[in-house]
Each structure stands twice: as C-alpha cells, then as structure tokens.
Amino acid sequence: MADSSFDIVSKVDHQEAENALNQARKEIEQRYDFKGTGASVEWSGESVLIKASTEERAKAVLDVFQSKLIKRGISLKSLESGDPFASGKEFRIVSTIKDGISSENAKKISKLIRDEGPKSVKSQIQGDELRVQSKSRDDLQEVQRMLKAADLEVDLQFVNYR
C-alpha cells in the first residue's frame, strides 16, 4: 500500500483580508470617536498602512482591523504589526500579512514532528510548505492533533490529504 500524506501550509485568503480591510475602513469612517482624527487604514503595496493623529488612535484602528480579520476567519498569527511611529504630524503602523511558512518555522515544525510524533511519520520541507508522509492514516491524524495543540507562531492549515 502506498504512503498516505498531507501538506502543512500557512495561507491567507487575500480576498477575505481585503474584505476585512474594507469593513474596518467603513467602521472607522462611521465611528464618532474617530471623527476628525485623520484615522485611516489602507493597503500600501503588500502591507497595510494605518494612520491616525495620536499613537492611541493608531492602536485603536489596528484593534478594529484585527477584530474584522477574526470575524473573517483569518488568524492574528498571520498579521505582523510594527510599533506606532511618528511621521510628521501623524502616527503610523505598518502591518504585513504573512503567507507561507518561513524556513525557520518549517524546521521547528519538522523537528516537533520528528521528536514528538509517531515514529512512522516522515516530514519533508518543500519551499514554504511541509509534506508529511506515513503508511498509517491514524499516525497522520495524530500529527495533525499534535500540531493543533502546539503553540506555534504560524497559522497552519492541512491540505491535500491522500
């Protein structure tokens, strides 16, 4: 019997991220506590740029954006935000949405599978994803349970289960 396998990926649905950003923008335009503060949230290339007149307002805009991401099913582990910094008369926060598993995180996950997973399971790094193989499907499911329980700094999805 051939080996069963699945891939571990970390992908963000960019359409859902776009929808979350639009919802956050609408809420910021409507809320009275953001009126006249120059608060805004928008795409700046591949990153999200948050602007406001004070550091607290910028953090509040980030909080609104994060709540919209959660409602849209996007994990906050996929959002990497910097600290507020002054730019002229306004404060800015630059946030990026991480897509894919970095090589250092892939090595951590692979080591975790090797150390704590069933012995028949083999993992292999393929670019920004991992392929996990085993003869036993039960062992593969055990690896999935173990990775879901582990507190990793990336949001993981399991795809191509064969």
Side-chain angles (χ1 to χ4, degrees), residues 25 29 48 96 125 162:
R25 184 183 307 126
E29 290 169 359
V48 176
T96 55
I125 299 172
R162 306 175 208 177

Side-chain angles (χ1 to χ4, degrees), residues 7-162:
D7 293 336
I8 303 172
V9 297
S10 179
K11 298 223 183 294
V12 174
D13 185 351
H14 288 284
Q15 186 60 49
E16 289 297 331
E18 178 76 32
N19 291 342
L21 186 99
N22 288 334
Q23 285 180 335
R25 184 183 307 126
K26 285 180 184 174
E27 182 173 327
I28 290 161
E29 290 169 359
Q30 308 258 317
R31 277 180 40 178
Y32 71 94
D33 56 337
F34 287 122
K35 294 274 190 232
T37 61
S40 69
V41 58
E42 62 202 27
W43 287 108
S44 173
E46 286 295 309
S47 57
V48 176
L49 180 63
I50 295 171
K51 299 182 204 172
S53 59
T54 64
E55 187 174 342
E56 291 76 29
R57 286 278 172 248
K59 287 180 179 177
V61 171
L62 177 62
D63 192 44
V64 169
F65 180 53
Q66 288 175 338
S67 71
K68 298 303 178 189
L69 285 174
I70 290 169
K71 284 183 181 174
R72 287 270 173 200
I74 298 174
S75 172
L76 291 184
K77 290 179 180 178
S78 301
L79 183 72
E80 196 172 271
S81 298
D83 292 326
F85 62 94
S87 174
K89 291 184 178 179
E90 65 187 8
F91 282 84
R92 297 179 176 204
I93 300 175
V94 177
S95 300
T96 55
I97 294 180
K98 297 186 285 186
D99 223 2
I101 301 172
S102 68
S103 62
E104 66 184 43
N105 282 327
K107 288 175 186 172
K108 283 182 194 173
I109 294 168
S110 186
K111 182 174 178 1
L112 186 69
I113 291 170
R114 213 175 28 250
D115 294 346
E116 297 179 23
K119 295 298 172 208
S120 67
V121 176
K122 295 187 283 298
S123 64
Q124 180 179 23
I125 299 172
Q126 298 178 335
D128 62 351
E129 58 185 49
L130 266 86
R131 162 104 7 115
V132 180
Q133 294 177 317
S134 175
K135 292 205 180 298
S136 166
R137 287 181 175 236
D138 292 339
D139 288 350
L140 291 178
Q141 289 174 340
E142 180 61 36
V143 168
Q144 287 182 353
R145 275 192 292 279
M146 179 189 66
L147 290 175
K148 284 178 185 174
D151 187 29
L152 300 167
E153 58 224 29
V154 288
D155 181 39
L156 300 177
Q157 294 93 31
F158 306 109
V159 296
N160 294 338
Y161 192 77
R162 306 175 208 177

